[in-house]
Amino acid sequence: MPTKREHFQYSLRAQSLGEKMRNLRDERGLTLKYIAEYLGVEFSTLARYERAEWPFRRDHVMALLDVYGIYDERQRAELLDLAANAWRINQWEPGYGGNSRSGASDDLTIIDHWWIQSRAEELCVYASSLIPELLQTRDYAEAVIQRREPNAARLDRLVRKQVVRQEVLDERPPKRLTVIIEESVLTRPVGGRAVLEQQLEHLLRVVERPHVKVRVLPTRIGLHDGKDGPFILCLMRPPYPPVALVEHLGGRLVLEDVAADWYLKAFEKLTEQAASDADSANLIIETLASISHHKPAKLNRSAPEHDESAAVAA
């Protein structure tokens, strides 16, 4: 573990630990000043611990768990494990959909994907096979989730949870979302033609929000930087660096530091190759017209669009 604070990275594990410890303090109505005096540290030092600007010392965490009355063995182990591994970056969670969690100590350092997305200032999504979860209709989501969850009760619970998570787009201030979708995704009949038609109509309504952009990557674009599969790039609030999330059959990856920068550069290049906002909307309209019994009017391509400056921050 790094011994110099100035060499400490803004790791997700440290952020998770800082948030959990701050929540425990707030729940018990204790002030930063009181806890700082108890630990024998400066007020500003404890604030930096909770903001994950400096790593929480393991012995401090252990002492605070007693102060906060945390005696559940698993919860204590989780927090102490995070403290011991706060310097680690990147993680791999084995097993499709995270269903193979063993409960071993190493598992306790796993950071939930949705927690990471919820902390992001902007989400940049490259979708190569399906409409992204935050933009799926309920019927589309059910068709996707049903492929891996045959139990009706759990299926309904997972679908409802996904629909609730979409409320993040209504936050104040709003969470920015930029999505690049392969053109082939627009014609994939997930759930059948009626479900797809409803999904495309939903996409057209969603892009009316100024903080949501949906860009289509035309099939005519040959080899590109999305060739290795879909990903979610989380642009975190300063001073925290970007994080990339990748899901595959072997498990799920959380990538930080240099590995996340690769995805940042890939998304920038994909943004350059994707159709404009208006042209993307017209591609969706044309696809919708081809599968439905009516032909909606095209958008005026000469009409002013939302600012199309780079979707990702340098």
Side-chain angles (χ1 to χ4, degrees):
M1 181 172 178
T3 57
K4 293 186 179 180
R5 288 169 176 162
E6 58 268 24
H7 293 162
F8 179 69
Q9 301 187 69
Y10 293 111
S11 74
L12 286 171
R13 289 180 173 88
Q15 292 177 54
S16 178
L17 176 62
E19 181 178 285
K20 291 175 187 294
M21 297 303 291
R22 183 179 65 250
N23 289 342
L24 288 173
R25 178 177 59 76
D26 288 342
E27 288 168 4
R28 283 146 184 82
L30 300 174
T31 65
L32 272 170
K33 181 180 179 181
Y34 176 85
I35 295 301
E37 290 177 351
Y38 175 81
L39 291 178
V41 300
E42 296 290 334
F43 174 96
S44 59
T45 297
L46 180 60
R48 289 188 175 98
Y49 284 167
E50 292 187 350
R51 293 197 300 267
E53 294 175 6
W54 289 351
F56 242 118
R57 284 173 41 180
R58 191 176 186 278
D59 60 322
H60 283 168
V61 172
M62 185 175 294
L64 290 180
L65 292 181
D66 293 338
V67 175
Y68 298 153
I70 304 301
Y71 303 118
D72 178 78
E73 290 186 10
R74 182 171 178 82
Q75 187 177 7
R76 288 179 71 95
E78 176 184 358
L79 294 169
L80 291 171
D81 202 32
L82 283 170
N85 291 279
W87 58 276
R88 292 184 181 276
I89 59 171
N90 302 330
Q91 60 186 14
W92 170 47
E93 181 180 358
Y96 182 75
N99 292 327
S100 65
R101 299 285 292 276
S102 66
S105 177
D106 287 346
D107 270 350
L108 296 175
T109 59
I110 293 294
I111 306 300
D112 179 72
H113 277 210
W114 179 246
W115 178 82
I116 300 171
Q117 293 182 56
S118 67
R119 289 178 58 87
E121 192 170 50
E122 179 174 2
L123 296 173
C124 300
V125 183
Y126 167 61
S128 60
S129 57
L130 296 170
I131 301 295
E133 291 182 357
L134 285 176
L135 299 181
Q136 291 177 3
T137 63
R138 183 183 181 88
D139 289 343
Y140 191 102
E142 183 173 328
V144 173
I145 297 173
Q146 193 171 34
R147 295 282 297 179
R148 67 173 187 269
E149 183 49 77
N151 181 278
R154 286 197 295 267
L155 170 64
D156 182 66
R157 186 166 59 252
L158 290 172
V159 171
R160 282 190 283 109
K161 180 183 292 186
Q162 181 165 310
V163 171
V164 169
R165 284 176 172 175
Q166 293 176 356
E167 294 175 1
V168 73
L169 297 179
D170 298 318
E171 287 182 348
R172 291 292 179 268
K175 187 182 298 294
R176 299 194 302 275
L177 174 66
T178 300
V179 175
I180 296 178
I181 301 178
E182 290 281 355
E183 186 176 2
S184 59
V185 174
L186 302 178
T187 57
R188 180 162 290 117
V190 174
R193 192 183 74 173
V195 171
L196 178 60
E197 182 177 342
Q198 182 188 54
Q199 177 64 68
L200 295 181
E201 290 173 345
H202 178 66
L203 280 184
L204 291 172
R205 290 192 297 271
V206 167
V207 296
E208 294 176 358
R209 304 182 186 185
H211 58 286
V212 177
K213 288 180 178 289
V214 176
R215 308 279 294 276
V216 178
L217 192 66
T219 304
R220 58 180 169 76
I221 301 295
L223 193 62
H224 55 69
D225 285 78
K227 63 180 177 59
D228 295 313
F231 61 86
I232 299 175
L233 181 67
C234 303
L235 302 184
M236 313 302 281
R237 295 178 176 85
Y240 307 113
V243 178
L245 308 177
V246 181
E247 197 161 323
H248 56 90
L249 284 176
R252 302 191 299 183
L253 296 171
V254 176
L255 302 171
E256 305 172 61
D257 198 42
V258 175
D261 289 340
W262 296 338
Y263 285 87
L264 178 64
K265 292 174 183 176
F267 198 84
E268 288 172 341
K269 292 179 181 178
L270 288 168
T271 301
E272 293 172 0
Q273 294 175 301
S276 67
D277 290 359
D279 286 349
S280 294
N282 281 330
L283 279 170
I284 298 172
I285 289 172
E286 290 167 0
T287 304
L288 178 58
S290 71
I291 64 173
S292 64
H293 300 297
H294 64 283
K295 188 178 177 75
K298 283 189 177 183
L299 293 181
N300 181 0
R301 298 193 185 200
S302 62
E305 301 179 9
H306 301 305
D307 179 21
E308 286 195 20
S309 57
V312 290

